[in-house]
Each structure stands twice: as C-alpha cells, then as structure tokens.
Amino acid sequence: MSWQSYVDEHLMCDIDGQGHHLAAAAIIGLDGSVWAQSPSFPQFKPNEIEDITKDFDEPGHLAPKGLHIAGTKYMVIQGEPGAVIRGKKGSGGITIKKTGEALIFGVYEEPVTPGQCNMVVERLGDYLVDQGL
C-alpha cells in the first residue's frame, strides 16, 4: 500500500459513518520529508517539524511557546509523552502520533471532535508501529 493511500483511506476517511472527516492529514518522516499528505495539508516550515520532533524527545518543549504548523499556533494540550502531541486552536485542533520512522498528522475542525481525530490518527499510528514502521 502506498503512503498516499494511508492518508486517503485511513486518515481522510469517513468518521463513524457520519460523513465527517479530518480537515487535513499527512505522514511526514522524522527527518521532515513528506511521505504523503492531503491536498489541504498546510505548507509547514522545516523548523516546525524539528520542534515537534524535539517535543517527542523532551516532552514539554512545545508547551511554553505552542505548536506551530505553517505559522498557525496551536495550544499544546494533554497528550502521551513521547508518543502523542495534541494541540487546540478555537473549535479545531491537531493530533500528531509518532511511530518508529514517521509522524502522523491529523488536523480537524468542527463538527469533528478531538476524540474522533485522536482515534483516527492514533489507530493508524499504532498499526504502523505494530508493522515496525
């Protein structure tokens, strides 16, 4: 399966049969290279991915200044240190799951809930971890 099909079929999918889906999604290598992304995923800056990767190694790194993607600032909220980072901005937010080789990104807006985004992103991330990726 191509990385693009993981984004298209597992991240940008219909959630709970309600016709809702993530606003944007991507799979980005730990080195900052884009493996696959939805057309709506924002054009991020390399230093933003470096900051996110650093927060997985040093949980709490992003909390004081926020999580930034393409200049958009998200307030960092409860995640799983070393495994999941979650951010909130207004009625939307972002979930990032770290696997052995990549970061799985999901961006959501209402009516998608934070819990739905977490489920979609973390389910794919857990599967990839189980596959040794």
Side-chain angles (χ1 to χ4, degrees):
M1 185 179 282
S2 75
W3 290 113
Q4 191 61 49
S5 61
Y6 280 110
V7 169
D8 298 341
E9 298 170 20
H10 297 280
L11 295 174
M12 297 300 289
C13 59
D14 183 32
I15 299 173
D16 297 336
Q18 298 175 359
H20 306 313
H21 54 82
L22 299 179
I27 302 174
I28 298 174
L30 295 178
D31 62 358
S33 62
V34 176
W35 291 9
Q37 64 184 17
S38 66
S40 53
F41 196 76
Q43 182 61 50
F44 60 86
K45 300 177 181 103
N47 65 310
E48 293 171 334
I49 302 303
E50 290 167 15
D51 266 353
I52 291 165
T53 303
K54 184 171 183 175
D55 193 81
F56 281 113
D57 296 335
E58 300 172 27
H61 169 74
L62 289 173
K65 61 183 177 178
L67 161 65
H68 294 81
I69 292 289
T72 300
K73 181 179 179 182
Y74 295 87
M75 180 178 66
V76 178
I77 56 175
Q78 175 67 40
E80 296 171 35
V84 179
I85 298 172
R86 298 185 182 112
K88 186 94 174 114
K89 178 177 177 20
S91 61
I94 189 167
T95 302
I96 307 166
K97 168 80 177 177
K98 182 178 187 240
T99 72
E101 298 180 18
L103 302 173
I104 315 297
F105 287 77
V107 179
Y108 68 93
E109 298 291 343
E110 283 188 329
V112 174
T113 66
Q116 288 171 319
C117 181
N118 296 344
M119 179 191 69
V120 169
V121 172
E122 293 174 37
R123 186 169 49 198
L124 177 60
D126 290 342
Y127 170 78
L128 293 175
V129 168
D130 289 346
Q131 300 303 305
L133 300 167

